[in-house]
Amino acid sequence: MAKWALIATLLAVVVIMLGAWTRLVHAGLGCPDWPGCYGFLTVPQSDAHIAIANARFPETPVDVTKGWPEMIHRYAAGTLGLIVFGLAAYAVRHRKTGVPVKLPLFIAGFIILQGAFGMWTVTLKLWPQVVAMHLMGGFTTLSLLTLLTLRLRSRAREPERKPSGNALAAFRPWLYGGLFLVVLQIALGAWTAANYAAVACTDLPTCQGQWWPQGMDFQHGFDVTQHVGPNYLGGQLTADGRVAIHVTHRLGAMIVLGYFAILLALMWRRREASGLARPVAIVAVVLCAQIALGLANVILHIPISIAVAHNAMGAGLLLSVIHLVWQHHRLPQAHIAISPHTTRIKGEVTA
């Protein structure tokens, strides 16, 4: 079960990357219906099937180059759903052996909700609110699968003995604070992608040659009640609204970087007392890589390969922080050892 949970986690990363690829090649509406494509299980390719598809959806003629990215994403997501349902069924069947049951069942239920958001993404013509929620749902699924994998792996093998965690006990709320900041930054990234605001600023470190661009419209940029459709492909926000979103995402990245730079430095100084050197180093490396990819996106004007890698590394940052929190929780509490030179007589300790 631990192996299949790990496979599901890795596949969730692939699904997130495929979703980013689909969005970047503007194939979010490559198939105007759901779950099929123009009423077929695959993208129509023969002349006869294309003619039938065009007759069914005359407003959206078949574009094979955009249909396949959408369907490949759906195939991968469907496969992930089947694995998750299999994990839930296995957990229920073997619940008497002590395997986690509630978490696999919750993930299975969440997968159904995520599938509904995938459907609404198409039927509501890429409405930003739904697209952003769908993106966040993907990261949530990944986080839950990671947690399930960690729990199962810890049960499958005897945990290693670690030194006392008292040296880092005070960092626990700060770790949760860092996790919260990462989630917020991912949400900002989802809103940026859903509103096609990634290209709103094309220079660094300024935006459109200004440190604080004039005319930024935050009210319009973060209006969650904006009108639906008829088709949101390419976005409908004004330029000032998109600039506001982009600048906010940049500020969020700076806050996350500063926060973790201080937190990880302090934890690194106490690494010998905790045994958390490796998880701390992983977060630091992934964070630096994510910042570098974000800068490369702006400098190179959003090349598809780097943009997809930026999404994948965002998932990697989330997972590395979750792993750090998990490892911190596994640190045993400090205990007062009885000196080897003492003897216990009738419940009393004497030197």
Side-chain angles (χ1 to χ4, degrees), residues 49-113:
H49 285 175
I50 291 177
I52 295 173
N54 289 334
R56 290 172 176 171
F57 299 90
E59 297 181 357
T60 53
V62 174
D63 186 341
V64 176
T65 59
K66 291 186 177 181
W68 275 117
E70 173 69 5
M71 288 307 295
I72 292 173
H73 178 221
R74 293 183 188 181
Y75 294 150
T79 303
L80 176 61
L82 292 176
I83 296 176
V84 167
F85 294 145
L87 285 170
Y90 185 93
V92 171
R93 184 176 180 181
H94 296 84
R95 59 188 180 277
K96 294 183 180 180
T97 63
V99 298
V101 177
K102 294 181 180 179
L103 183 56
L105 288 176
F106 181 81
I107 298 174
F110 192 85
I111 280 285
I112 296 174
L113 178 62

Side-chain angles (χ1 to χ4, degrees), residues 17 26 31 84 92 110-111 113 120-121 140 147 170 219 223 258-259 267 271 288 306 327:
M17 294 175 65
H26 303 287
C31 297
V84 167
V92 171
F110 192 85
I111 280 285
L113 178 62
W120 294 330
T121 296
T140 301
L147 181 59
Q219 182 176 359
D223 181 12
Y259 186 95
M267 295 183 71
R271 64 189 182 279
C288 291
I306 294 180
Q327 292 295 337

